[in-house]
């Protein structure tokens, strides 16, 4: 049972600061993100979890003198409700009639309210829109550089990590960092801008062929960079610079991380005089744009976003190979788990954390494995309905062969990143569980088999994965797919499959990666998700209505069997059966040779990939 954090004293202290003459604000916004708009953050930047108790990856807290509201999406409704105490009101963003946090502060607070926020934690675009909306109602958005949650946190706040960065060999990256910088400069010339300010941590890691460990599961490091036509400056602390990294960065000026805002402010004078502009990405902070001066910047998508998303041949080969090794780890895991539960007394003894630890151990045995790509979602029964559930020692559940088991996990390898979800039942599933599983699988297969014109967006393709559920009035409250980095963040844009508006603006191109992960979640009972990581590839068609633009499809690179026992065959078509058998044959062909033929994993894989 999860025990909510008592936030009474924390909120009391925060409200005292808000009401003080120094700040004089009626509301304070606490976003999830760090100064680089990272989805996952370092411990020192977990301000929203600290003030609220809710530690899901997405959410925004708004605190007023008499109300504390948490805005989050459908992935976290159950988790947030469990983790927050009675001081907090859960605002279920995405449900009809529930405002976003931006709508809440502009439309639901009294006119004239001064709303405070740390300007490094909100994008320039968001800040400008919010300020305009508040000023229209005689209020204002107030930039408070002293983060008020940090003040409440005090000396207990974790220190900022300073672990050294390391070089990613070109045999894994597929291109030198000088080649990448040259391609960025070509794009800057086409855009007629003086340079680019790089703020997103995964963009920095990709551009310089460096990796780090500043954020758990994400091989990134804290830095900024400015790339112009003839200079490159990397703002990165001395502690991160090993001799190997210094040599790798020869010709690049390295300055302390903290210097970036001062230097950008100084740079703004020259930009104004020459009427030149720097390009900053859409995730650049309000504080950063203010330092440069709004008239000196062009806010638009960073060219690195798309360059990084279009994997080169080396990265694609690595993506396929790391998934084969990951598939071997998963086969060994499920072979071991089934044996422990059914034949070795593990039922109702092994916990969700116990088996997650075993999976990590088996992953780390694989060549080139660096660690996990996110905290393993190892969930039994009702916990599976908490979409991004993460078991914690002392409050986790025991595995039970009478209940569904959902495992969403991934690994970081030098040659790629993996993300896979499988749902299994080690006993006798009910007919309803089988029907739900089958409908999720039918949606998964429909999306996997899709053939579509080059440039089609994931917004258009999303209904394919939901139709089998929609037929009986069901759905799921999360996106259907996200891009995956190459030994980088497990969630990578700009591409995605889902109903978010920005997915409609990004078309699929060959070389992109995407997950295919429909699901269904029955609160208090079970969760189902089936997820493969895929590569976007060209495919031949009988005709070409696109006049040479061509057609695309998805190639699954995840190599883990899908449990046949959970399929309700009367709902399955011959074409779907053919797809499953072909997929399982590919899994067998590519993974079996990596397993010990006398081991549990080999026998499990052989049985689970047998034709349906």
């Amino acid at each position: 049972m999860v025990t909510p954090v008592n936030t009474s004293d924390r909120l009391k202290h925060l409200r005292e600061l808000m009401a003080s003459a120094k700040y004089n604000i009626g509301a304070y916004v606490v976003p999830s993100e760090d100064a680089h708009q990272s989805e996952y953050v370092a411990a020192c930047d977990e301000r929203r979890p600290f003030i609220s108790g809710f530690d899901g990856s997405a959410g925004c807290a708004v605190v007023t003198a008499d109300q504390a509201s948490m805005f989050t999406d459908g992935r976290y409704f159950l988790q947030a409700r469990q983790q927050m105490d009675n001081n907090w009101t859960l605002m279920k963003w995405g449900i009809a009639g529930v405002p976003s946090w931006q709508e809440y502060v502009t439309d639901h607070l009294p006119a004239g309210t001064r709303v405070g926020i740390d300007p490094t934690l909100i994008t320039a675009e968001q800040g400008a829109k919010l300020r305009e909306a508040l000023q229209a109602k005689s209020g204002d958005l107030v930039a408070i550089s002293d983060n008020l949650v940090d003040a409440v946190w005090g000396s207990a706040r974790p220190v900022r990590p300073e672990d050294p960065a390391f070089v990613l060999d070109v045999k894994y990256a597929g291109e030198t960092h000088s080649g990448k910088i040259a391609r960025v400069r070509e794009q800057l010339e086409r855009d007629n801008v003086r340079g680019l300010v790089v703020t997103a941590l995964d963009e920095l890691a990709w551009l310089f062929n460096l990796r780090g460990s500043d954020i758990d599961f994400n091989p990134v490091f804290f830095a900024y960079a400015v790339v112009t036509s003839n200079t490159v400056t990397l703002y990165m602390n001395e502690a991160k610079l090993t001799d190997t990294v210094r040599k790798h960065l020869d010709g690049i000026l390295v300055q302390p991380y903290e210097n970036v805002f001062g230097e950008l402010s100084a740079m703004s004078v020259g930009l104004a005089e020459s009427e030149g502009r720097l390009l900053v990405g859409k995730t650049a902070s309000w504080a950063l744009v203010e330092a440069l001066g709004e008239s000196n910047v062009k806010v638009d998508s960073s060219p690195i976003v798309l360059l990084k998303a279009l994997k080169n041949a080396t990265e694609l080969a690595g993506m396929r190979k790391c998934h084969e090794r990951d598939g071997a780890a998963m086969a060994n895991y499920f072979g071991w788990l089934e044996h422990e539960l059914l034949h070795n007394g593990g039922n109702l003894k092994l916990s969700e954390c116990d088996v997650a630890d075993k999976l990590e151990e088996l992953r780390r045995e694989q060549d080139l494995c660096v660690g996990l790509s996110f905290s393993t979602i190892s969930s039994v029964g009702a916990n599976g309905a908490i979409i991004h559930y993460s078991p914690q020692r002392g409050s986790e559940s025991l595995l039970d062969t009478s209940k569904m088991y959902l495992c969403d996990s991934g690994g970081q390898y030098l040659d790629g990143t993996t993300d896979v979800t499988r749902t299994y039942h080690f006993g006798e599933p009910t007919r309803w569980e089988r029907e739900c599983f089958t409908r999720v699988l039918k949606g998964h297969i429909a999306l996997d088999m899709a053939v579509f014109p080059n440039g089609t967006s994931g917004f258009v393709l999303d209904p394919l994965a939901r139709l089998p559920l929609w037929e009986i009035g069901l759905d799921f409250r999360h996106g259907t797919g996200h891009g995956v980095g190459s030994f980088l963040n497990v969630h990578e844009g700009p591409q995605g499959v889902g109903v978010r508006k920005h997915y409609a603006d990004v078309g699929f191109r060959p070389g992109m990666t995407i997950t295919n992960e429909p699901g269904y979640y029955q609160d208090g009972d079970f969760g189902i998700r089936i997820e493969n990581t895929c590569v976007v590839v060209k495919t031949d068609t009988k005709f070409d209505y696109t006049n040479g633009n061509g057609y695309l499809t998805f190639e699954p690179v995840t190599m883990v069997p899908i449990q046949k026992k959970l399929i309700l065959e009367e709902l399955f078509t011959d074409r779907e059966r053919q797809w499953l058998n072909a997929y399982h044959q590919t899994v067998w062909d590519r993974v079996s040779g990596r397993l010990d033929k006398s081991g549990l994993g080999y026998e499990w894989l052989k049985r689970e990939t047998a034709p349906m």
Side-chain angles (χ1 to χ4, degrees):
M1 184 67 181
V2 177
T3 302
V5 175
N6 186 332
T7 62
S8 297
D9 288 343
R10 298 174 185 183
L11 288 171
K12 180 176 181 290
H13 189 178
L14 177 60
R15 285 169 172 144
E16 288 171 353
L17 290 171
M18 291 165 55
S20 69
K22 182 177 181 180
Y23 302 116
N24 185 29
I25 53 174
Y28 189 65
V29 179
V30 187
S32 297
E33 295 78 12
D34 61 14
H36 304 268
Q37 288 295 298
S38 306
E39 178 184 11
Y40 298 100
V41 300
C44 60
D45 291 319
E46 291 181 341
R47 299 178 176 94
R48 191 259 300 153
F50 169 79
I51 201 66
S52 69
F54 165 55
D55 64 4
S57 67
C60 184
V62 178
V63 179
T64 66
D66 58 3
Q67 189 82 7
S69 302
M70 177 60 64
F71 298 79
T72 191
D73 62 48
R75 294 173 296 170
Y76 296 107
F77 291 166
L78 289 177
Q79 180 179 338
R81 194 165 63 204
Q82 289 180 357
Q83 291 183 327
M84 295 190 302
D85 66 9
N86 292 332
N87 288 304
W88 290 86
T89 299
L90 176 60
M91 305 293 283
K92 297 182 177 181
W93 180 83
I95 300 296
V98 178
S100 66
W101 72 263
Q102 295 95 333
E103 292 167 338
Y104 177 78
V105 299
T106 55
D107 299 336
H108 295 259
L109 297 183
T113 298
R114 286 166 44 88
V115 178
I117 193 168
D118 181 336
T120 67
L121 305 184
I122 186 172
T123 68
E125 186 176 34
Q126 290 174 329
K129 287 182 179 178
L130 196 56
R131 191 170 211 178
E132 182 181 359
L134 285 166
Q135 289 178 344
K137 297 188 176 183
S138 302
D140 200 4
L141 182 66
V142 183
I144 300 178
S145 57
D146 305 322
N147 190 285
L148 300 190
V149 174
D150 290 353
V152 174
W153 212 341
S155 61
R157 182 185 174 219
V159 298
R160 186 164 295 280
E162 291 290 1
D163 294 332
F166 59 95
V167 176
L168 181 66
D169 197 295
V170 72
K171 69 182 180 182
Y172 303 122
E175 183 182 13
T176 64
H177 66 289
S178 58
K180 293 178 178 180
I181 291 170
R183 287 204 286 151
V184 168
R185 283 173 167 158
E186 290 172 2
Q187 185 62 50
L188 297 179
E189 187 174 356
R190 286 192 289 270
D191 290 344
N192 193 30
V193 291
R194 294 288 180 87
L196 169 69
V197 182
V198 188
T199 63
L201 301 186
D202 61 334
E203 292 181 29
L204 288 152
W206 177 88
L207 181 63
F208 293 103
N209 283 351
L210 293 175
R211 298 295 187 267
S213 57
D214 284 353
I215 296 178
D216 288 346
F217 312 115
N218 298 267
V220 296
F221 51 91
F222 287 111
Y224 292 93
V226 177
V227 179
T228 69
S229 60
N230 55 12
T231 65
V232 180
T233 305
L234 179 61
Y235 296 90
M236 177 178 176
N237 282 345
E238 184 82 13
K240 299 186 179 303
L241 299 171
T242 65
D243 290 343
T244 302
V245 170
R246 288 179 189 277
K247 184 177 179 180
H248 175 76
L249 294 174
D250 184 45
I252 293 171
L253 178 63
V254 180
Q255 298 274 33
Y257 177 78
E258 293 78 10
N259 286 12
V260 64
F261 287 97
E263 294 213 357
L264 290 177
S265 182
M267 197 180 300
S268 67
V269 178
L271 289 169
E273 290 175 351
S274 64
E275 297 185 353
R277 292 195 299 169
L278 290 181
L279 176 64
V280 299
K282 291 183 177 180
T283 59
S285 72
W286 182 23
L288 187 141
V289 170
E290 286 291 305
L292 274 168
E294 289 184 22
S295 61
N296 299 322
V297 302
K298 175 184 178 181
V299 179
D300 204 347
S301 293
S302 165
I304 297 174
V305 172
L306 188 57
L307 292 174
K308 175 168 55 66
L310 297 171
K311 306 292 184 275
N312 61 46
T314 299
E315 291 172 319
L316 292 173
M319 189 67 75
R320 293 181 176 99
K321 288 298 182 183
C322 76
H323 276 86
E324 290 177 9
R325 297 192 300 276
D326 204 64
M330 294 293 287
N332 284 330
Y333 171 64
F334 280 115
W336 168 84
L337 181 57
E338 181 183 78
H339 177 77
E340 290 297 308
L341 293 177
L342 301 183
H343 307 294
N344 205 31
N347 187 42
L348 299 177
K349 291 184 179 179
L350 289 171
S351 75
E352 295 164 325
C353 289
D354 293 335
V355 298
D357 289 347
K358 180 66 176 182
L359 177 54
E360 179 176 358
E361 173 191 321
L362 292 169
R363 265 205 173 92
R364 288 183 180 274
E365 291 176 357
Q366 298 297 316
D367 290 343
L368 307 183
C369 182
V370 178
L372 303 184
S373 56
F374 56 95
S375 180
T376 298
I377 300 171
S378 173
S379 52
V380 176
N383 291 339
I386 303 172
I387 297 171
H388 275 193
Y389 171 80
S390 181
Q392 303 295 320
R393 287 284 179 191
S395 62
E396 77 270 42
S397 295
L398 299 177
L399 267 72
D400 185 340
T401 56
S402 69
K403 298 178 180 179
M404 300 276 262
Y405 174 63
L406 186 155
C407 182
D408 186 346
S409 66
Q412 291 286 10
Y413 299 82
L414 291 176
D415 55 349
T417 300
T418 70
D419 185 2
V420 51
T421 308
R422 288 295 182 264
T423 306
Y424 285 93
H425 201 299
F426 297 99
E428 292 300 323
T430 66
R431 180 181 174 84
W432 176 239
E433 288 170 334
R434 294 176 66 202
E435 177 172 351
C436 293
F437 180 91
T438 305
R439 290 185 179 278
V440 171
L441 179 55
K442 286 169 72 71
H444 178 99
I445 294 172
L447 183 58
D448 185 273
M449 294 177 69
V451 174
F452 47 91
N454 193 341
T456 301
S457 75
F459 185 88
V460 172
L461 296 175
D462 182 69
L464 295 175
R466 299 179 189 267
L467 280 171
L469 290 167
W470 285 353
E471 288 173 353
I472 59 171
L474 301 180
D475 204 348
F476 52 95
R477 290 194 181 106
H478 59 74
T480 303
H482 56 81
V484 178
S486 183
F487 185 33
L488 265 178
N489 295 356
V490 72
H491 292 163
E492 179 178 270
Q495 72 279 15
V497 179
V499 297
R500 294 182 182 181
K501 292 179 181 179
H502 66 266
Y503 287 157
D505 300 328
V506 181
F508 282 115
R509 292 169 57 176
M512 287 181 167
T513 57
I514 193 71
T515 61
N516 175 357
E517 50 180 307
Y520 173 67
Y521 310 90
Q522 187 159 300
D523 289 357
D525 200 354
F526 62 83
I528 297 165
R529 186 160 63 251
I530 303 169
E531 177 186 19
N532 280 352
T533 299
C534 305
V535 171
V536 182
V537 295
K538 294 180 180 178
T539 189
D540 294 327
T541 55
K542 185 176 180 179
F543 305 103
D544 186 2
Y545 195 73
T546 67
N547 295 319
N549 196 36
Y551 286 78
L552 306 175
T553 192
F554 299 123
E555 173 200 335
V557 294
T558 297
M559 293 289 122
V560 182
I562 295 166
Q563 191 176 43
K564 299 187 293 291
K565 181 173 73 173
L566 276 167
I567 297 172
L568 196 60
E569 292 195 35
E570 65 198 58
L571 295 178
F572 226 44
T573 67
D574 288 341
R575 192 164 183 240
E576 290 164 342
R577 185 177 292 103
Q578 290 168 6
W579 180 94
L580 187 65
N581 286 340
Y583 173 69
H584 280 162
Q585 185 62 53
T586 300
V587 173
W588 173 256
D589 292 343
R590 293 173 61 177
V591 176
S592 60
R594 297 179 177 273
L595 299 172
D596 179 357
K597 290 186 177 181
S598 63
L600 295 170
Y602 185 89
E603 288 303 316
W604 179 86
L605 186 74
K606 185 175 182 179
R607 186 188 72 236
E608 293 298 319
T609 57
M612 183 176 177

